[in-house]
Amino acid sequence: MQTPVPAPAPTPVPAPPPAPLRLGVLGCGDIAARRTLPALLRTPQLTLAGVAARDPARAAAFARRFGGTPSASYEALLERPDVEAVYLCLPTMLHARWAERALRAGKHLLVEKPLATDGADAERLFRLAGERSLVLLENFMFLHHATQRTVSGLLAAGTLGTVRAVSAAFTIPPRPEGDTRLDPGVGGGALLDTGVYPLRAALRFLGGDLSVAGAVLRHSGRHGVDLSGSVLLAAPDGAAAHVRFGMEHHYRSWYEIQGSAGTLSVDHVYTTAPDHAPVVRLTVGTDHTEVRVPAEDHFEAVLRYFAAAVRDPRRAAPGLPLLGEESRRQAALLDAIRGAAHIVAV
């Protein structure tokens, strides 16, 4: 009798990739035109479904350039059933109001930084997103760049020993007259524009339980906004962060982490150009090393992350609570900095 030959196991059929996330854009700002929407066109995980602007003609021009269908108003875009998620890039003072409306409309949300100008708004928005099982992500692109993964790996490996201090700066040259960053009515000022980047770096490297030990803000009486500032933050174990920011300086986009065994620093870290290959400069003892990081478009990286968080939460779930907690703590620190700051009128 012949032994029966078992039938070959069927070849598994790979699951089809999820459909692209259908994104609506709320506000046709400069950052959307220059960086976010060009990156979206290179990101197959998303597709542009619609755009809305205060000026319908501007929305129509964006749609002709990038795709999607223009909506007659912000409200009309939020009512569209074909829009699953929203990218919000309105002026800063409008973020919290329209983020709440987008979440109440059932849309997942990617919001340009800062998500909120105060801690109460940030808490309310994250609570609302949690109640409705919606993804809410503040758009700090640098956290999604390969540079950050490299630095996090070095810290996790104990290369620097115990982190004792962080220094971070994001400064840009003076703004021309008429620049929105000089307009207090739309949330202008250096703290909200450039200050939140080094603040976020300090939170990432020293943890969320930071307090304000001191702060200075240079305030323009002519424009009604802060032009620059410096903040000293303290962690419970005595580690400290010194952050500097402003829009009356030579350009600087940098942080340094000093530990008990070594120091690392990175330049061009918050607004890394897509063709720039960053260098992490590392000193351990007397040994100096340069760790080169491949070039990457961090706008594409954050869009991929956002799409994965919506379509496949298991992939992004480990990182989402950290990002949300940092956003909450950052907004609370803005309150504390304003309350503690020594104001210098200029």
Side-chain angles (χ1 to χ4, degrees):
M1 174 183 290
Q2 292 184 334
T3 303
V5 178
T11 303
V13 178
L21 180 66
R22 296 184 61 82
L23 190 71
V25 175
L26 205 63
C28 299
D30 177 66
I31 191 67
R34 286 190 301 107
R35 298 298 303 274
T36 310
L37 293 186
L40 185 148
L41 296 179
R42 300 188 296 269
T43 307
Q45 293 89 342
L46 299 100
T47 188
L48 185 58
V51 293
R54 183 175 55 183
D55 177 4
R58 185 168 174 81
F62 260 59
R64 287 193 298 270
R65 181 177 173 188
F66 299 109
T69 305
S71 293
S73 65
Y74 300 154
E75 293 89 348
L77 184 135
L78 294 180
E79 291 170 358
R80 286 175 52 173
D82 64 324
V83 171
E84 301 173 86
V86 166
Y87 166 57
L88 195 159
C89 57
L90 296 169
T92 299
M93 291 300 289
L94 300 177
H95 284 186
R97 181 197 315 173
W98 284 100
E100 180 171 355
R101 295 186 71 162
L103 292 170
R104 292 194 182 280
K107 311 301 185 185
H108 301 282
L109 193 57
L110 174 65
V111 184
E112 271 305 326
K113 59 80 197 167
L115 165 66
T117 60
D118 61 67
D121 279 346
E123 290 292 338
R124 186 180 76 257
L125 292 171
F126 275 102
R127 185 167 56 250
L128 179 61
E131 290 169 355
R132 296 178 175 237
S133 300
L134 295 169
V135 172
L136 173 58
L137 181 63
E138 188 175 23
N139 191 24
F140 275 96
M141 302 81 60
F142 82 97
L143 296 174
H144 301 270
H145 195 280
T147 300
Q148 188 58 43
R149 296 191 293 275
T150 300
V151 169
S152 296
L154 291 168
L155 294 176
T159 305
L160 302 187
T162 302
V163 175
R164 301 296 189 196
V166 172
S167 298
F170 189 19
T171 56
I172 59 176
R175 301 294 87 195
E177 290 295 325
D179 192 289
T180 57
R181 283 165 283 199
L182 297 174
D183 183 354
V186 297
L191 177 60
L192 292 176
D193 186 64
T194 58
V196 288
Y197 286 94
L199 281 176
R200 191 55 168 261
L203 285 164
R204 174 56 56 94
F205 302 132
L206 291 181
D209 196 13
L210 299 179
S211 59
V212 178
V216 176
L217 293 175
R218 278 173 49 87
H219 188 82
S220 168
R222 177 184 175 191
H223 296 292
V225 299
D226 48 278
L227 298 176
S228 62
S230 182
V231 178
L232 181 64
L233 301 168
D237 65 355
H242 180 206
V243 304
R244 306 190 307 278
F245 50 90
M247 47 187 182
E248 51 179 357
H249 300 68
H250 177 259
Y251 178 82
R252 196 81 196 275
S253 175
W254 160 90
Y255 63 63
E256 178 185 273
I257 308 169
Q258 187 177 24
S260 56
T263 300
L264 69 76
S265 65
V266 191
D267 253 316
H268 302 289
V269 73
Y270 304 118
T271 55
T272 310
D275 59 351
H276 174 66
V279 177
V280 179
R281 293 178 171 83
L282 176 65
T283 300
V284 178
T286 58
D287 295 330
H288 304 281
T289 307
E290 291 189 348
V291 181
R292 299 194 173 272
V293 179
E296 179 181 18
D297 187 332
H298 56 191
F299 283 84
E300 292 181 35
V302 73
L303 288 171
R304 288 194 302 268
Y305 182 91
F306 179 64
V310 174
R311 287 285 188 250
D312 187 1
R314 293 170 299 175
R315 291 181 56 193
L320 274 174
L322 171 64
L323 291 166
E325 182 59 26
E326 286 178 350
S327 291
R328 289 182 169 97
R329 290 297 303 146
Q330 174 188 284
L333 278 176
L334 294 175
D335 294 334
I337 289 166
R338 295 187 194 100
H342 172 65
I343 307 295
V344 178
V346 295

